[in-house]
Amino acid sequence: MEKNSILPIHIGGTIASADSETGFRPKLSFEDLLSNIDRGLAGDRHIAPAQSPFGEFGIDSASMQLPHIQKIAETILNNYDKHDAFMVTHGTDTLAYTASMLAFMLQGVQKPVIVTGAQKTLEDDKSDVIGNLETALLAASTSNCGVWVVFDGKVIKAVRATKINICVDCLDAFASNVMDEIPISNFQLNDYSVNRGQSETFSTKASEAVDIFSLSHTTNPILLKNYLDNSNIRVIIILVYGMSGHRKDLIEVLSKWANDNETIVIAKTQSPYGSTDLSKYELGVKALQMGILSSLDMTMESVYAKACTLLARNGDPREFSRQFYTNFCDELDEASVQKFMKKAAYWLAAS
């Protein structure tokens, strides 16, 4: 194995973009970016030639689909024995989704996988391209295994990262939904490894039969039923207001669809923070008793990634539900899961 080697994987997005006649688009290779940074930041690590699975300049992150993420994971796996760290440069729109998906595909990874991007292009005033690249290299130069998002001088577990700001004037685009961001200076000095010593269970399988649907005051149950009946999805993640589930007529449509088709419904609050726990309020309890799953303290991105990867492994609703409440890579607080399961069992027994 090549000693102290970091492999960049250049995906594109704002970090690779420059102005054009049709607006910003990816125009910069990783070498273009690398020529602007302090090469000494990586210490004695060697920065290997970048892999660019979607062309030299990459693609806009809004164009990302599951096969693209699978290709990124495959690039890491195909080069896993040759390097001791990986750095993914990615557009911010779907960065947290890709990072979460990589965390589930690379379960137990014993090397650092760092995902970063930028809010402003290299040619913009006060660009964050170089700062984020240099911070990502510092993070990749540690022994903190796991998949991480690095942005604006801080490090976040991939399954805890969510995009909170799309404004280019705000460089602090990502936050942890449990507010446990790590300053890069601390990350360099301490061991924050995710699942250190765990067996590496790698699989790039992911199902596309998952969708996200936002419920609102005006959601029509007939239109919802038509959508479900005419789709090929096996898991639907419903966005609700808080912990109370939603209107009974909508939950009844979702529950009947799940029961009739052996499919799965997961509730997730629209808030980026807090836990979606259906065991607390009457409406939520009714949803729970109708078979709706609670996403608890997972981010939207990790719920989606977990659903896609679990469904690809086993489509049986009971086994899916069991594994959905299993903590794989710090996406769930285990104490909270146990508390929820105890209360959920009480309500389910009473139904």
Side-chain angles (χ1 to χ4, degrees):
M1 185 176 87
E2 187 177 0
K3 277 191 174 183
N4 300 321
S5 177
I6 300 172
L7 177 66
I9 303 172
H10 192 50
I11 305 306
T14 299
I15 196 168
S17 290
D19 201 6
S20 73
E21 293 180 357
T22 55
F24 290 120
R25 64 179 178 85
K27 292 175 66 175
L28 302 176
S29 69
F30 187 81
E31 286 302 318
D32 293 331
L33 303 179
L34 198 60
S35 65
N36 290 274
I37 73 167
D38 179 358
R39 295 294 290 269
L41 278 176
D44 61 353
R45 302 251 168 164
H46 169 67
I47 304 174
Q51 296 279 318
S52 300
F54 311 118
E56 184 180 11
F57 308 133
I59 59 176
D60 191 296
S61 69
S63 300
M64 293 292 290
Q65 295 180 331
L66 276 183
H68 294 110
I69 303 175
Q70 290 170 311
K71 183 67 174 178
I72 298 169
E74 289 165 0
T75 302
I76 293 172
L77 295 181
N78 291 339
N79 293 276
Y80 193 72
D81 294 333
K82 302 174 186 176
H83 306 279
D84 63 351
F86 303 87
M87 185 175 75
V88 180
T89 50
H90 196 290
T92 61
D93 283 348
T94 55
L95 185 150
Y97 283 94
T98 294
S100 283
M101 199 74 72
L102 290 176
F104 287 105
M105 290 179 173
L106 306 175
Q107 283 178 35
V109 62
Q110 297 298 296
K111 300 179 181 183
V113 178
I114 309 300
V115 187
T116 194
Q119 286 281 83
K120 292 192 171 189
T121 67
L122 188 61
E123 60 193 16
D124 284 336
D125 290 338
K126 299 180 180 179
S127 169
D128 56 339
V129 169
I130 302 308
N132 286 344
L133 274 177
E134 292 179 344
T135 306
L137 283 172
L138 290 174
S141 300
T142 72
S143 60
N144 285 307
C145 60
V147 185
W148 305 89
V149 170
V150 168
F151 221 90
D152 197 35
K154 61 189 180 183
V155 186
I156 306 170
K157 290 174 186 174
V159 290
R160 291 299 183 181
T162 191
K163 190 171 183 183
I164 57 168
N165 202 317
I166 63 171
C167 177
V168 295
D169 292 327
C170 176
L171 304 184
D172 189 13
F174 292 87
S176 163
N177 74 319
V178 292
M179 293 172 277
D180 62 347
E181 295 97 346
I182 308 165
I184 184 60
S185 56
N186 292 356
F187 195 75
Q188 290 178 274
L189 296 173
N190 300 290
D191 184 13
Y192 293 95
S193 295
V194 177
N195 300 332
R196 169 72 75 189
Q198 186 183 80
S199 61
E200 295 173 327
T201 308
F202 299 156
S203 174
T204 62
K205 291 181 179 179
S207 174
E208 295 185 345
V210 179
D211 204 359
I212 302 168
F213 194 101
S214 182
L215 301 182
S216 70
H217 294 77
T218 55
T219 300
N220 187 313
I222 296 175
L223 295 180
L224 175 61
K225 181 180 184 301
N226 288 339
Y227 164 69
L228 294 170
D229 289 344
N230 291 283
S231 73
N232 62 353
I233 60 174
R234 306 299 299 166
V235 177
I236 187 168
I237 302 163
I238 55 167
L239 298 184
V240 298
Y241 296 121
M243 292 187 285
S244 295
H246 216 282
R247 294 185 348 237
K248 185 179 177 182
D249 57 344
L250 297 179
I251 297 301
E252 286 176 342
V253 168
L254 291 160
S255 177
K256 188 174 189 308
W257 170 76
N259 291 329
D260 290 350
N261 298 279
E262 294 190 333
T263 48
I264 298 148
V265 181
I266 304 168
K268 173 72 181 79
T269 177
Q270 296 175 13
S271 170
Y273 302 105
S275 177
T276 311
D277 181 347
L278 297 178
S279 70
K280 293 183 179 297
Y281 293 91
E282 184 180 34
L283 275 178
V285 168
K286 287 180 180 178
L288 188 67
Q289 291 172 331
M290 290 182 186
I292 313 301
L293 301 184
S294 294
S295 58
L296 301 179
D297 63 326
M298 286 185 279
T299 64
M300 180 66 257
E301 295 88 343
S302 64
V303 172
Y304 180 77
K306 193 171 189 176
C308 290
T309 51
L310 285 182
L311 190 61
R313 297 174 201 164
N314 193 325
D316 178 70
R318 290 182 182 177
E319 181 60 18
F320 182 100
S321 299
R322 185 188 71 79
Q323 293 194 30
F324 186 72
Y325 292 122
T326 300
N327 179 37
F328 291 105
C329 41
D330 285 3
E331 76 278 9
L332 281 167
D333 176 71
E334 294 186 19
S336 297
V337 172
Q338 295 304 314
K339 185 177 179 181
F340 164 76
M341 296 298 283
K342 185 176 180 180
K343 196 166 185 182
Y346 169 81
W347 289 123
L348 292 173
S351 63

